[in-house]
Structures are given as structure tokens and as C-alpha cells.
Amino acid sequence: MTGHLQVLAQALQAGDRDRVEALTRAALARRTEPRDILSTLLAGMAVVGERFRDHEIFLPDVLLAARAMNAAMVLLKPLLVRDGIPTLGTIVLGTVAGDLHDVGKNLVGIMLSGAGFEVVDVGTDVPADRFVEAAVASGASVIGLSALLTTTMVNMQPVIDLIERRGLRGSVRTIVGGAPVTEAFAREVGADAYGFDAANAVQRVRALLDLP
């Protein structure tokens, strides 16, 4: 990583939105390849994720880094599309039917976006058919299901059952998470993976898609 890109990564980790935007503009002005800038930003967000996982930083720090990442992506995305640079994959993310909680879901979405995934957030209180329709429409490889209540976590099962009935099990994987959800419950409902926190969810999604 060259000097100016290293400074960019450090600014991202510090959550300095204005500096990240300015450094991204400067890197583009130097004719740095957009893919190299993206790789730098993804590496910076990976560090943020690791530090959050290890409790060295906290949610506000992650949100600041995500905001800085988004500022850079506004500049980079048109260039990446022009150059045909693919994302790592598309993930549909939502809170299951009957549950209006979204803080955990939103954090997972931020971490996935920062890791280079395209996130389709279908919101809260989402019925099974809307999860599956969104996955088909977007070509998503993974559906992420969130629940914060023991009374709503059972609504993960209908989504997984519908994927099975639609013959999508081979092409669409599922990951579940939320305060009351356990790895044993994930196995019970037939989910492909369980994420115990946002950083772990990113790791599990990468594993589902055979990404290093």
C-alpha cells in the first residue's frame, strides 16, 4: 500500500468523513486505480470490524467509519461500475415478521457494506415471501434474518421453508442472528449459518460464499 493510500486507510479507521472524501478525491486526481482505492477502504473497514469484535472500539466508532466509507463510495461507485468491478455478492437483510427492532440488523448491514457486499435492506416486520422475492429480484446469494424477541425468532423458519419450496436452497443461503438466537436454534430451523455479532456475521457470510 502506497503512502497516500495508507493515510486514507488510517483516516477511515478514525471515522474522519471529510478527510476520507478529500483523500479519495486526491487519489483519483493522481490517477490511482479505483479498484486500488476500494481495496484500501475495504482493508480499513476490516480493521474496524476486527477492533469492534475485540471490544477495542464501540458502535459510534463503527458508524463514523461507515459514514466515511459511504462518502468515498459515492465517488468510487460510478467508476467501479464503469470498470466492471463486481461486488463480493448481494445480501438481503431484514428483521422477521412481527419484530420491529432494527439496530442489530442495521449494524450488520453497515459491516457487510463496508466489507464490499451489496446489501438490500428490506426493513423490519418482513414476511417470508418478501425476503424471498427480494433475493430473487436482486440475485442475492444470502438472506440474513434478524430477530430480537423469542416470540418472533420462530418466524425465521417460514423463510427457510419457503426457500426450500421454491427450489432455491442451492443458490440462496441463510444466516440468522439476534439476541435470543443461538447456534443450536440456527441448526434446528435449517439455517446455513449463525452470526453471534455483526463482525462474526461478516465472517460467516464470507465463509458461505467461499471467500477468503
Side-chain angles (χ1 to χ4, degrees):
M1 188 184 299
T2 59
H4 68 281
L5 290 180
Q6 188 170 6
V7 173
L8 173 60
Q10 291 167 349
L12 178 70
Q13 291 165 41
D16 190 335
R17 180 185 184 279
D18 292 342
R19 186 157 171 73
V20 165
E21 183 176 353
L23 288 167
T24 300
R25 291 185 185 279
L28 291 171
R30 288 191 183 96
R31 300 188 180 280
T32 306
E33 288 291 336
R35 72 176 67 209
D36 293 336
I37 301 172
L38 176 63
S39 295
T40 298
L41 293 167
L42 293 177
M45 281 302 295
V47 172
V48 171
E50 290 165 5
R51 295 185 66 200
F52 179 71
R53 178 197 64 204
D54 296 338
H55 307 292
E56 295 175 7
I57 61 174
F58 302 98
L59 180 56
D61 304 300
V62 176
L63 295 176
L64 286 173
R67 187 179 69 163
M69 177 81 177
N70 288 339
M73 289 306 297
V74 168
L75 301 173
L76 289 177
K77 201 160 192 176
L79 303 176
L80 295 169
V81 170
R82 179 199 67 191
D83 295 345
I85 309 299
T87 64
L88 294 180
T90 300
I91 317 297
V92 169
L93 195 63
T95 306
V96 295
D99 200 321
L100 297 174
H101 297 89
D102 66 357
V103 173
K105 169 188 69 66
N106 293 346
L107 180 55
V108 171
I110 287 168
M111 298 293 281
L112 286 168
S113 295
F117 293 96
E118 191 76 31
V119 176
V120 178
D121 189 337
V122 289
T124 62
D125 189 18
V126 181
D129 58 344
R130 196 178 346 144
F131 275 111
V132 176
E133 287 165 6
V136 171
S138 63
S141 305
V142 178
I143 294 177
L145 307 171
S146 175
L148 192 68
L149 306 172
T150 55
T151 54
T152 59
M153 62 192 264
V154 296
N155 292 329
M156 294 175 169
Q157 183 78 69
V159 183
I160 295 167
D161 290 346
L162 183 56
I163 290 170
E164 187 78 43
R165 290 200 305 274
R166 293 280 297 272
L168 299 170
R169 195 61 189 262
S171 57
V172 179
R173 307 292 184 85
T174 53
I175 180 170
V176 299
V181 180
T182 64
E183 190 144 18
F185 177 80
R187 288 195 299 270
E188 180 184 324
V189 297
D192 296 298
Y194 159 68
F196 61 79
D197 65 16
N200 179 250
V202 174
Q203 294 172 350
R204 294 298 178 92
V205 168
R206 294 184 72 93
L208 285 177
L209 300 178
D210 293 323
L211 296 170

